[in-house]
């Protein structure tokens, strides 16, 4: 019991600093990504904070397993180079005891990761997309005169100058590459909110579009463009409905299959990687050098690469093949390099 408490204490001393550093770095990256949203819609500080909270489950999902694995390996290597593990082995404790000690916490971490990835992440993803679609359909579009690359729904938009009225523009050009799209030029344009749907009222303009073998031009005095709000249909989607998309044909099937396989496989890393902990962490301080951090990052990087490739191209095959394969490799390394010597 004292040995278990001692190992957990050393683990905690390493885990929390690593977790906080990775969490801070991930938060900065997420905030930079969210800041890019302001190029499309206007959001307040509290709305930016809300978007950050929506991305929190995904961020925790990728930070926790990496922190757990690296912290376990580093804590064991510290005990090795302080000769404390050598003393325990000399007193008759087998290395497999370390695996048994870390098994409960690995189960807890894997269960937490499955809960975050399969329950919280779909809900936050739907809420995040719903928020953006709602803001795009509001009147708070961040459309700047004289700037290229701006979007209004599926349209690329260029406005030459602002009009005196709010949300009103002069000499507007819209371009879309959709099947029934084309190029629209209008002298006047104003944005308005019609029962929650954003509309663009264009005046005195022309439409240019391809019609079989010739270019068609349509002159108009007034034209109303309504933003596509199809993304709002998923706003009430539950967890089961979200993952059901992986099992029947739809436009998000491949992406959902990839996410499902990726989430499950990474959630299992603490369990199927248990034998990597003594393999990488237990060292002979007299004959071996401490390259533990580099070795741990290589192993985790290799696992993530296999997970990404498997989830992208063979999601359900990867779910059945990769966990036992990764566990067997770790067990083989443990038996060959650790168990036979300690």
């Amino acid at each position: 019991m004292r040995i278990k408490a001692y190992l957990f204490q050393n683990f905690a001393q390493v885990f929390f600093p690593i977790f906080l550093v990775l969490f801070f770095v991930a938060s900065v990256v997420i905030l930079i990504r969210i800041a890019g949203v302001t190029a499309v819609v206007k959001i307040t500080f509290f709305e930016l904070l809300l978007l950050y909270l929506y991305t929190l489950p995904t961020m925790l999902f990728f930070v926790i397993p990496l922190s757990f694995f690296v912290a376990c390996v580093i804590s064991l290597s510290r005990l090795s180079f302080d000769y404390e593990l050598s003393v325990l082995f000399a007193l008759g404790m087998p290395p497999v005891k370390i695996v048994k000690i870390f098994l409960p916490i690995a189960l807890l971490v894997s269960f937490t990761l499955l809960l975050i990835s399969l329950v919280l992440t779909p809900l936050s993803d739907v809420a995040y997309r719903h928020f953006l679609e709602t803001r795009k359909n509001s009147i708070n579009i961040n459309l700047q005169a004289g700037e290229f690359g701006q979007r209004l729904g599926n349209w690329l938009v260029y406005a030459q100058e602002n009009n005196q009225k709010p949300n009103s523009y002069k000499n507007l050009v819209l371009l879309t590459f959709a099947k029934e799209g084309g190029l629209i030029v209008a002298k006047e344009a104003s944005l308005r909110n019609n029962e929650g749907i954003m509309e663009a009222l264009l005046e005195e303009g022309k439409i240019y579009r391809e019609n079989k073998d010739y270019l068609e031009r349509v002159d108009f005095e007034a034209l109303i463009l309504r933003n596509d709000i199809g993304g709002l249909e998923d706003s009430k989607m539950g967890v089961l409905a979200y993952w059901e998309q992986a099992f029947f044909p739809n436009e998000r099937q491949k992406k959902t299959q990839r996410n499902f396989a990726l989430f499950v496989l990474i959630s299992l890393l603490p369990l199927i990687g248990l034998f990597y902990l003594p393999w990488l962490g237990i060292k002979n301080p007299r004959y071996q050098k401490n390259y533990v951090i580099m070795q741990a990052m290589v192993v985790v990087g290799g696992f993530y690469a296999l997970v990404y490739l498997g989830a992208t191209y063979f999601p359900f095959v990867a779910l059945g093949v990769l966990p036992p394969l990764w566990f067997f490799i770790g067990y083989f390394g443990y038996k060959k390099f650790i168990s036979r010597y300690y």
Side-chain angles (χ1 to χ4, degrees), residues 3-21:
I3 295 176
K4 181 187 295 186
Y6 184 65
L7 289 178
F8 282 168
Q9 180 182 0
N10 281 272
F11 164 75
Q13 291 175 354
V14 180
F15 174 80
F16 289 106
I18 293 176
F19 174 81
L20 291 175
V21 170

Side-chain angles (χ1 to χ4, degrees), residues 271-282:
L271 280 176
I272 62 178
L274 274 175
F275 282 100
Y276 288 87
L277 306 183
W279 179 15
L280 300 178
I282 297 176

